[in-house]
Amino acid sequence: MLAGATVLSGCSADPVETKKAEASTDKYRNFYQIFVNSFCDSNGDKTGDLKGIISQLDYLNDGDPNSGDDLGIDGLWLTPIMPSKSYHKYDVENYYDIDPDFGTLEDFDELVKECHERGINIIIDLVLNHISYNNPLFQQAVTEVSEGNLDGAAKYFEIHKSDYFSDDTQVVRLSDGYVCEANFSQDMPEWDLNSEKTREEFTKIAKFWLEERKVDGFRLDACKFFQNKTVDGTEFLKWFYDTCKGIKEDVYMVGEDWTEDSDIQDLYKSGIDSLFSFKFAQNTGQIVGNMNTMQGATFAKKLKAYEGKMRESNPNAINAYFLSNHDQVRIANALQSKGLDFEKFAANVYMLMPGNSFTYYGEEIGTKAESNSNDAYYRTAMVFDSNNLPSINVGNIGSTIEPPVNGGVKQQLADKNSLLNHYRRLIKVKNQNPAIARGEITDLADFGDKEIAAYYNEYDGKKLMIVHNFNGKEAKQLEITAEMLENPEIAADLSTVEATRAELKNGKLTLPPHGSVVLETKAS
Ligand code: CA
Ligand code: CA
Ligand code: CA
């Protein structure tokens, strides 16, 4: 019925079907975060591995930006892959190898090559704040401290007499009243980031991965804890970023700090490309929080303010937006029970923001966490086929898995209204319209409706208007004046409620419930 109406009114074909997309050649990317333990197990030992990832690359990107047969992501973030006894591997025992559970350096080289052939940039998690207690260098420090030698391996770490640290600093006890800073756990003592020795070691590590293994950059863990009594976190980050740029001029780096805007602003002064924007993520963040109260205008205001602030600290800042990651309850937990349009709309909002989007594996099929009692529930196996469930062990919760309610990848590919197909369309739209990621929010558009988020995004002489309807029940009629946008047309319609679509006629925009559009000036 809808298709018939379209023909009668003489609407043109869907531009998303016909417009050409181009592969990115810069740092603006649609990233996909893989928790390596849990993505795909190639050899049946119940642990995900690098060969498993290689086997699923065509799902992520087949190398043709116009094939439409893949998710279209062009950036990959792997959680830590270096040897470690934990399943998450954030406590590194050796910075120069691959954990045998995940594969070998040869497998890794193969993965990098396969990614690059598809136009995917690959970044790996690098943990520079802390180390595994079992790391041989730290073990050497423990032994030397017990022998009264503080000038050897101890020089790499935050080892001091116990009264050195304030009471709120967590430490691990060594001998003779010495302790080492350890904010995360007793198993993860911290590096001394001011030490010359540490910086020599970090330079070696960066060269190993950037030069020899050809990764495109790093996701830097726990930047929040770089700062301590004597370390200036921003100075350290600047040193590391500059060092990496010296090794690979176009290195991409994204850091993790989940605290205040002011802390993130400080870290951006290092010159780092990206920092994650935690305040927009999760069920209480600026995206889903404002969806729940239908405050679209408030959301747009917050976004513009955040973008402006971060660009003040670093004019080249590429904010890294996401809905959830491996440390957080799955976003489907907050959205799924409300309806598929909530999941699709949250995706619209974060992926159409300027900067880089980071999609947590399984988010695109609505994976839920069975419980929030343990991080492992946020990291369960990826379901490629819900009729053939994977068996992958995750931490201490084993391999139990709750399949996504709308099926795995295979089932959702076959359903044109699935969340997965919506993600594919969204990423395609981003690849067709490079201004979305690269642009700057120059102003908000005011329709006098607090449920509407509308902003201008300008890039390279091109002006887009992005409009979201935060009301999930009512369509909106909005007048797009010539002052707002000359000769406006819909560049992309991202409607989320089945059988609805946006329309623009004589400057009157009809925006469906939870609908989003990208508007541009008609090419003359
Ligand atoms: Ca395996
Ligand atoms: Ca493709
Ligand atoms: Ca630290």
Side-chain angles (χ1 to χ4, degrees):
M1 197 171 123
L2 199 85
T6 303
V7 172
L8 286 177
S9 66
C11 277
S12 54
D14 180 3
V16 181
E17 292 298 324
T18 51
K19 205 166 173 175
K20 288 278 170 243
E22 264 177 54
S24 170
T25 54
D26 59 18
K27 294 182 181 185
Y28 290 87
R29 303 268 162 169
N30 305 295
F31 274 92
Y32 189 82
Q33 178 193 356
I34 289 182
F35 191 80
V36 180
N37 177 84
S38 305
F39 191 62
C40 184
D41 172 19
S42 71
N43 59 356
D45 67 355
K46 298 197 168 203
T47 305
D49 46 57
L50 300 179
K51 281 204 163 93
I53 297 172
I54 295 171
S55 74
Q56 298 295 348
L57 281 180
D58 278 346
Y59 163 64
L60 299 175
N61 190 328
D62 63 4
D64 175 359
N66 289 297
S67 69
D69 288 339
D70 52 20
L71 189 55
I73 65 100
D74 49 11
L76 205 51
W77 155 26
L78 302 186
T79 55
I81 51 177
M82 299 160 195
S84 157
K85 291 198 177 54
S86 65
Y87 77 100
H88 54 71
K89 310 208 185 292
Y90 278 94
D91 44 345
V92 178
E93 291 185 8
N94 175 359
Y95 283 84
Y96 301 95
D97 207 347
I98 303 289
D99 190 288
D101 285 345
F102 291 170
T104 62
L105 283 170
E106 289 68 40
D107 295 341
F108 186 74
D109 291 345
E110 175 73 13
L111 173 62
V112 172
K113 187 176 135 268
E114 291 282 339
C115 281
H116 288 167
E117 279 174 12
R118 289 169 167 79
I120 302 172
N121 275 4
I122 179 166
I123 66 172
I124 59 168
D125 225 307
L126 188 58
V127 188
L128 298 181
N129 179 63
H130 45 270
I131 189 170
S132 166
Y133 190 88
N134 299 317
N135 186 294
L137 187 61
F138 191 75
Q139 284 297 309
Q140 190 189 332
V142 171
T143 306
E144 288 178 7
V145 168
S146 75
E147 295 160 355
N149 175 9
L150 289 156
D151 291 327
K155 284 273 188 222
Y156 289 92
F157 304 106
E158 287 286 359
I159 294 176
H160 306 272
K161 281 285 185 187
S162 58
D163 61 358
Y164 173 86
F165 293 108
S166 59
D167 289 346
D168 59 348
T169 304
Q170 304 294 311
V171 296
V172 55
R173 298 197 176 282
L174 310 178
S175 45
D176 298 331
Y178 284 97
V179 299
C180 185
E181 187 177 10
N183 286 294
F184 281 86
S185 85
Q186 299 283 300
D187 306 325
M188 303 187 196
E190 300 194 22
W191 290 93
D192 176 356
L193 302 178
N194 276 344
S195 154
E196 280 303 315
K197 287 190 166 194
T198 300
R199 292 190 179 196
E200 270 171 37
E201 187 64 24
F202 284 5
T203 305
K204 265 173 60 188
I205 293 168
K207 277 193 179 148
F208 178 78
W209 291 100
L210 293 171
E211 248 175 31
E212 291 180 42
R213 308 263 82 93
K214 302 189 168 54
V215 301
D216 297 288
F218 300 116
R219 178 264 184 189
L220 288 189
D221 186 58
C223 297
K224 169 184 155 50
F225 287 106
F226 289 171
Q227 185 92 18
N228 72 4
K229 194 167 173 173
T230 51
V231 175
D232 174 342
T234 303
E235 185 280 327
F236 168 73
L237 190 54
K238 181 176 175 2
W239 169 80
F240 188 69
Y241 184 66
D242 290 347
T243 298
C244 288
K245 275 187 92 161
I247 297 164
K248 179 179 165 57
E249 176 57 35
D250 62 348
V251 65
Y252 175 71
M253 209 176 284
V254 52
E256 179 201 30
D257 183 329
W258 54 89
T259 52
E260 306 296 308
D261 283 3
S262 56
D263 294 334
I264 297 171
Q265 280 175 284
D266 274 346
L267 287 175
Y268 260 133
K269 289 178 188 150
S270 67
I272 190 172
D273 302 297
S274 296
L275 287 153
F276 287 110
S277 304
F278 280 79
K279 72 187 263 184
F280 286 87
Q282 288 195 277
N283 61 339
T284 52
Q286 292 297 344
I287 297 170
V288 176
N290 282 307
M291 278 173 63
N292 288 337
T293 52
M294 302 199 299
Q295 300 290 323
T298 302
F299 163 79
K301 217 177 279 173
K302 297 275 184 192
L303 174 62
K304 181 172 183 293
Y306 187 84
E307 284 282 315
K309 264 203 266 192
M310 298 311 156
R311 283 169 194 243
E312 258 173 45
S313 291
N314 176 359
N316 301 315
I318 303 171
N319 289 315
Y321 294 112
F322 63 103
L323 292 175
S324 69
N325 68 21
H326 61 288
D327 290 325
Q328 304 175 330
V329 182
R330 290 273 187 178
I331 203 65
N333 286 49
L335 300 172
Q336 206 160 69
S337 61
K338 297 178 180 178
L340 187 55
D341 59 305
F342 277 79
E343 287 182 272
K344 290 181 178 177
F345 186 68
N348 283 359
V349 175
Y350 93 94
M351 295 200 85
L352 294 178
M353 283 149 80
N356 285 348
S357 52
F358 281 74
T359 302
Y360 185 44
Y361 82 100
E363 176 188 295
E364 76 277 23
I365 52 170
T367 301
K368 267 175 84 175
E370 234 180 278
S371 155
N372 62 4
S373 61
N374 183 327
D375 286 353
Y377 288 110
Y378 317 153
R379 306 165 178 176
T380 52
M382 177 72 183
V383 176
F384 289 96
D385 179 354
S386 47
N387 292 324
N388 183 14
L389 289 178
S391 181
I392 289 181
N393 286 327
V394 187
N396 54 13
I397 67 166
S399 63
T400 49
I401 189 169
E402 193 183 88
V405 289
N406 296 313
V409 168
K410 188 176 169 195
Q411 288 71 30
Q412 294 200 29
L413 284 177
D415 169 9
K416 73 175 174 29
N417 291 312
S418 67
L419 183 60
L420 175 56
N421 276 321
H422 188 75
Y423 266 91
R424 300 209 312 173
R425 180 175 171 90
L426 249 175
I427 296 173
K428 192 173 173 195
V429 165
K430 287 186 71 183
N431 293 337
Q432 289 171 334
N433 299 278
I436 294 172
R438 292 159 186 81
E440 182 176 356
I441 298 182
T442 47
D443 208 351
L444 303 176
D446 184 7
F447 291 98
D449 182 336
K450 62 182 176 33
E451 294 173 357
I452 296 293
Y455 55 87
Y456 301 100
N457 177 325
E458 296 191 46
Y459 172 71
D460 199 17
K462 191 165 179 76
K463 184 176 177 185
L464 302 178
M465 185 199 264
I466 293 171
V467 193
H468 300 287
N469 181 4
F470 273 59
N471 187 320
K473 292 213 164 71
E474 287 170 24
K476 300 280 183 178
Q477 311 289 327
L478 306 169
E479 183 162 3
I480 313 295
T481 64
E483 272 173 346
M484 288 175 166
L485 201 63
E486 265 182 79
N487 291 321
E489 71 174 354
I490 295 175
D493 173 6
L494 291 150
S495 294
T496 63
V497 176
E498 219 176 315
T500 64
R501 63 179 284 184
E503 265 193 279
L504 179 59
K505 252 188 262 169
N506 306 321
K508 301 262 193 304
L509 174 69
T510 306
L511 195 55
H514 276 164
S516 307
V517 285
V518 179
L519 304 179
E520 65 184 348
T521 293
K522 209 175 288 183
S524 47

